[in-house]
Amino acid sequence: MADVQYSSPEEAFHLDEILNNIFPLVPFLTSLIVSPLTPLSRRVLASFANRDGIQNIRVLRGIQLETSSRLHGDSFVELLRACTRLEELEVVGTGVDVGELFADHAIPTDPPPSFYPLHLPFLRKLAALSMPSSPTLFALLYSPLPAIRHLTLTPYDELSVPSTLVPQFIAHHGDKLTSLHLYTVKQWPTTLFPSPPALLDICPSLRHVSL
């Protein structure tokens, strides 16, 4: 499905209907790779999460998620709760909202009491591109990821984007990483943000780093 795209709202609805009907029929599906230009609706995500065999999923790639400073309540987070054997995850955000650059958001230093961590003991490879913050990134930040070794992120610093979770994410999970790739998606206009300071101190086990 990586090459499937649509060019009109009618085609988007038709694709949504097809996916909603197909997912319950493939209980042994282990990998879902979609184009980040094809966002999945809440209905499709719910259909995918509630189907038989969701625990068989090992790879989710190309999932487009909206960048948001809202950190709670998200259908994709609920999908991740069901994918307890997930090994590889790639999500693509929508970049920085211009309003975010001038907004003063308080970044939580601890999850709220109502937060329930994700259970992803086998997740070893994670990519979150063009995503300074989102409910998914927040949930992953405050969930134990004991197997995480490879991380790809688009860097955002807290001075330029006050609501970003990226520096916290690297600091929280960096001690387990052996590979770190800080990657800015090519788009126009391209905005480059600095890499986190003291990176090698935060990630002492790195064998490969790309800035």
Side-chain angles (χ1 to χ4, degrees), residues 25-36:
L25 304 178
V26 285
F28 299 107
L29 184 70
T30 59
S31 299
L32 177 65
I33 302 173
V34 299
S35 167

Side-chain angles (χ1 to χ4, degrees), residues 126-199:
L126 170 65
L129 305 176
S130 297
M131 184 179 291
S133 61
S134 70
T136 296
L137 199 60
F138 180 80
L140 291 166
L141 168 61
Y142 288 113
S143 298
L145 303 176
I148 191 73
R149 296 296 181 269
H150 305 275
L151 179 63
T152 300
L153 292 171
T154 300
Y156 297 95
D157 68 292
E158 293 161 319
L159 182 62
S160 303
V161 187
S163 64
T164 182
L165 298 172
V166 170
Q168 279 192 52
F169 197 95
I170 295 175
H172 193 78
H173 296 292
D175 62 324
K176 298 183 285 294
L177 298 177
T178 59
S179 175
L180 176 63
H181 188 187
L182 299 181
Y183 176 75
T184 299
V185 177
K186 292 182 175 63
Q187 54 188 4
W188 183 260
T190 299
T191 303
L192 299 177
F193 296 95
S195 302
L199 194 58

Side-chain angles (χ1 to χ4, degrees), residues 43-80:
R43 183 177 70 152
V44 167
L45 292 175
S47 173
F48 191 57
N50 294 324
R51 71 188 184 88
D52 291 337
I54 185 61
Q55 71 278 3
N56 294 320
I57 288 293
R58 303 292 194 274
V59 177
L60 289 173
R61 288 169 53 189
I63 309 298
Q64 185 195 110
L65 301 174
E66 184 177 357
T67 295
S68 174
S69 57
R70 176 183 58 85
L71 303 178
H72 311 290
D74 182 81
S75 53
F76 188 71
V77 172
E78 296 310 308
L79 169 60
L80 289 180

